[in-house]
Amino acid sequence: MSTRTSDLFEAVDATDARLALGATGLLADFNRAGVLTSADVHVARALGRLGREDDERVLLAVALAVRAVRGGSVCLDLATVADPADLPWPSPAEWISAVTASPLVESGLVRWDNDLLYLDRYHEQESQVVDDLMSRAATSPAYDPDLMAASMKRLVAAMRRARPGTTYEEQEAACLAAAGQWTTVLTGGPGTGKTTTVASLLVGLLDQHPAGLRIALAAPTGKAAARLQQAVHQEAEAFEEGDRVRLAGVTASTLHRLLRPDPGNSTRFRHHRGNRLPHDVVVVDESSMVSLTQMARLLEAVRPDARLVLVGDPHQLSSVEAGAVLSDVVRGFEGRADSPVTALQSTHRFGPEIGELAEALRTGDADGALAVLATGHDAVEWVDETNPAPRIRTTALAAALAVRDAAARGDIAGALRALDHHRLLCAHRDGPFGVRHWNRRIEHWLTAETGDPLFERAYVGRPLLVTANDHQLGVYNGDSGVVVLTPAGPRAVIAASDGPRDLAPSRLGDVETMHAMTIHKSQGSQADVVTVLLPDEDSRLLSRELFYTAVTRARTRVRVVGSESAIRAAIGRRAQRASGLAVRLAAAPDARPTG
């Protein structure tokens, strides 16, 4: 993982908390240069004391490994880390030799594997994910292939009657493949029929087990879980009544809630290798958002004889925590005969213009993306102006007013529906391109339009985004809602996965205003119209994955606000995360069942 100049910090003064005042040698040099924070330095020095290591080159490598985890990587590649070049980097050969001979490696406090340096915790988790995936691939479930084929024909016939002209060959093939393996990795972009496949697979598996199956649907955030549950039930509406009824009781929850947090341990759950989940089928949507730690905990909790279906788009942003597990698994199994990966290709969600833009972003075709943006089609709009606020105001204010008016009438369903009409998506939280700035600006527009002062934290029509799990209230990070006027006064109504939750606004501590939201937070959600606000080209957050994720949140229309240079910078920059998972999966022996 390299260190771009834009990743560096500049100390405010000598009391800046990011400065490690007791640091010496290389640690002090890199800390003062803004490459390492005080936390990186303190962890490296603590491990050095534990392992009796005082070689400053080794301690620098450990501090950089800590920094790498904060940046989303699970390990450090010493051969590529030397950036910026004007710092006193050790020579690669001597550096690697010092690290590999270190007592820290010998004692297991850090790990050296495949020429990558890991903190022990992340090496253990990555090893566990590899072992569990290969162990699950070593056996296969017993099932009746003829019955499964008949189930698919029945379901496809019903869907074709409900939606004439739609084809389901890819989804049918994916279900037939999934029936014969314990683990399935179902990938595809927005609108490729992933949820159709999940709903069809569940019915097919229920046909195989007339006595019933224990089914769990989960997603990393509350919003994604609610959308998964809703989407599965919507897909089931095309089925025959008997099949539809069997899916009616299937509900979704957050992955965190499924695994059940352990109150005494912030990194462990109540379901684990010694207390497995009771479910026969576990489906996890938006798997690109699942971190390495979460994936390790999930795999150890799922029974070896239970089917696990990981669903997601490997081209989207990865988890905000360390790891890029879905894309690593896809790359690691590429070309293997025992691959559990099935990719859906044909998109049905949005029109050809948004589809062309998304494909150009996925493949890194900047000229193609700019050509689509420059066409001036209603579905794709490009705003390249010094002051884009008037263009943003038109859509954002109208959407905010629709939410406010429904909330003022006490129309809970209408207010929640209005929330999904428009999303203003930002890369940053702060600054002129950030969420906080645009939330305040839209509130000012609302005040000017309606006369409402909006001084109260729980003003009617305030769109809410939950930012932390609250198990007691039953709301989770990523849930959205709105403050609605009721006979009892303003109430916060949260669209949870099991239905709206009506709460006193004072009970919600960790919420933000959601007139605008970060692209990271938007994962797992959709909106009719999406406005993507790109920062300047030197922003460290700009990446192809970020841009692709934002554009593919739109159902019918997307507006891109940014300069050509910002667009080219975003498409040309990959969100690279150092990991050994793909290499280790690719090198693992073929796990196909024999005999």
Side-chain angles (χ1 to χ4, degrees):
M1 180 181 176
S2 64
T3 305
R4 296 193 304 272
T5 302
S6 55
D7 288 331
L8 309 182
F9 73 84
E10 184 174 348
V12 176
D13 54 39
T15 64
D16 193 315
R18 294 170 293 184
L19 291 177
L21 301 182
T24 59
L26 287 176
L27 290 178
D29 293 340
F30 280 76
N31 178 226
R32 285 193 297 267
V35 173
L36 300 174
T37 67
S38 57
D40 304 330
V41 173
H42 294 323
V43 172
R45 294 175 68 189
L47 287 177
R49 289 192 295 270
L50 282 173
R52 299 181 179 180
E53 174 62 85
D54 57 8
D55 188 324
E56 62 179 356
R57 297 169 299 177
V58 176
L59 298 182
L60 173 62
V62 173
L64 289 168
V66 176
R67 180 188 185 278
V69 170
R70 287 194 293 104
S73 294
V74 298
C75 55
L76 178 72
D77 185 350
L78 293 180
T80 64
V81 75
D83 180 21
D86 58 351
L87 290 173
W89 296 96
S91 68
E94 292 181 2
W95 201 6
I96 290 172
S97 178
V99 169
T100 55
S102 171
L104 294 181
V105 173
E106 183 180 357
S107 64
L109 290 171
V110 297
R111 302 283 182 166
W112 182 261
D113 194 355
N114 285 320
D115 296 327
L116 298 169
L117 179 65
Y118 293 80
L119 301 178
D120 177 59
R121 168 186 172 184
Y122 294 97
H123 184 267
E124 179 186 6
Q125 290 173 359
E126 190 176 275
S127 300
Q128 181 202 316
V129 168
V130 172
D131 292 344
D132 283 343
L133 286 174
M134 300 314 299
S135 175
R136 292 178 61 82
T139 63
S140 57
Y143 77 108
D144 183 340
D146 293 333
L147 176 59
M148 192 68 187
S151 299
M152 291 303 105
K153 290 187 182 303
R154 182 184 78 248
L155 294 168
V156 168
M159 288 188 289
R160 283 176 175 164
R161 287 194 297 270
R163 303 161 188 157
T166 306
T167 59
Y168 296 97
E169 285 80 3
E170 287 184 336
Q171 291 76 18
E172 184 177 1
C175 290
L176 293 174
Q181 53 199 23
W182 291 120
T183 305
T184 295
V185 180
L186 180 66
T187 69
T192 52
K194 299 189 294 294
T195 311
T196 301
T197 305
V198 169
S200 301
L201 175 63
L202 294 178
V203 172
L205 294 177
L206 286 167
D207 284 348
Q208 298 278 327
H209 299 271
L213 290 170
R214 290 164 292 188
I215 297 171
L217 303 181
T221 68
K223 183 68 173 178
R227 191 170 68 84
L228 171 62
Q229 178 177 312
Q230 180 185 35
V232 167
H233 292 163
Q234 285 178 342
E235 292 299 325
E237 290 176 3
F239 297 163
E240 296 174 357
E241 184 178 358
D243 295 327
R244 188 165 58 247
V245 167
R246 288 192 290 173
L247 294 184
V250 176
T251 60
S253 71
T254 63
L255 185 57
H256 205 258
R257 186 179 180 187
L258 174 70
L259 296 176
R260 297 186 65 201
D262 184 344
N265 191 324
S266 61
T267 63
R268 304 295 301 189
F269 295 89
R270 293 184 180 180
H271 287 293
H272 46 72
R273 211 173 296 279
N275 180 33
R276 304 273 192 171
L277 287 165
H279 304 91
D280 305 300
V281 183
V282 177
V283 178
V284 179
D285 197 15
E286 299 291 349
S287 293
S288 66
M289 300 167 64
V290 178
S291 68
L292 176 65
T293 300
Q294 286 178 311
M295 187 61 72
R297 300 293 177 252
L298 172 66
L299 286 169
E300 73 177 9
V302 175
R303 298 196 333 259
D305 61 342
R307 285 182 172 86
L308 174 63
V309 183
L310 302 174
V311 186
D313 184 348
H315 303 290
Q316 285 187 21
L317 285 167
S318 299
S319 166
V320 294
E321 299 175 2
V325 180
L326 182 64
S327 60
D328 283 345
V329 168
V330 171
R331 289 189 295 112
F333 277 107
E334 188 174 6
R336 290 185 60 115
D338 57 352
S339 174
V341 180
T342 298
L344 304 178
Q345 304 290 343
S346 303
T347 184
H348 308 288
R349 178 196 290 178
F350 31 59
E353 293 79 15
I354 298 179
E356 287 175 23
L357 177 58
E359 181 64 14
L361 298 180
R362 188 185 70 80
T363 59
D365 182 2
D367 290 336
L370 286 164
V372 176
L373 289 168
T375 58
H377 192 278
D378 288 344
V380 176
E381 181 185 0
W382 180 17
V383 178
D384 182 7
E385 299 173 0
T386 305
N387 179 22
R391 302 281 290 276
I392 295 174
R393 183 183 190 276
T394 302
T395 307
L397 178 58
L401 286 169
V403 173
R404 173 196 174 275
D405 292 347
R409 295 193 305 269
D411 181 0
I412 291 175
L416 293 176
R417 282 197 305 272
L419 279 180
D420 290 334
H421 174 65
H422 177 252
R423 289 273 191 281
L424 174 58
L425 302 182
C426 307
H428 291 261
R429 293 185 60 81
D430 298 300
F433 302 100
V435 166
R436 289 192 175 97
H437 170 83
W438 286 97
N439 271 325
R440 288 194 300 269
R441 197 154 191 180
I442 294 170
E443 286 179 337
H444 290 159
W445 292 337
L446 269 172
T447 295
E449 186 76 15
T450 65
D452 296 343
L454 308 186
F455 293 144
E456 295 291 333
R457 181 173 179 267
Y459 65 80
V460 174
R462 182 191 179 197
L464 303 172
L465 179 67
V466 179
T467 58
N469 297 326
D470 189 322
H471 304 284
Q472 183 176 4
L473 295 181
V475 298
Y476 297 90
N477 185 15
D479 284 348
S480 59
V482 63
V483 176
V484 178
L485 184 61
T486 73
R491 302 284 292 181
V493 180
I494 305 298
S497 59
D498 56 351
R501 293 193 178 276
D502 183 335
L503 302 167
S506 59
R507 299 188 68 189
L508 289 171
D510 296 299
V511 292
E512 298 175 351
T513 302
M514 201 186 72
H515 292 298
M517 67 189 305
T518 62
I519 296 170
H520 260 106
K521 289 285 189 181
S522 74
Q523 287 185 269
S525 66
Q526 301 173 21
D528 297 328
V529 181
V530 165
T531 299
V532 185
L533 184 60
L534 295 179
D536 290 336
E537 63 269 20
D538 59 354
S539 167
R540 69 182 181 87
L541 295 182
L542 270 183
S543 70
R544 186 187 307 175
E545 292 81 359
L546 184 91
F547 198 0
Y548 173 86
T549 300
V551 165
T552 54
R553 298 309 90 206
R555 294 190 187 99
T556 60
R557 185 182 174 203
V558 63
R559 173 194 289 135
V560 176
V561 181
S563 65
E564 178 178 341
S565 59
I567 290 170
R568 288 190 179 276
I571 297 173
R573 186 180 299 156
R574 302 301 304 274
Q576 298 289 356
R577 293 188 170 191
S579 164
L581 181 57
V583 172
R584 296 169 76 178
L585 284 171
D590 192 319
R592 288 177 300 177
T594 58

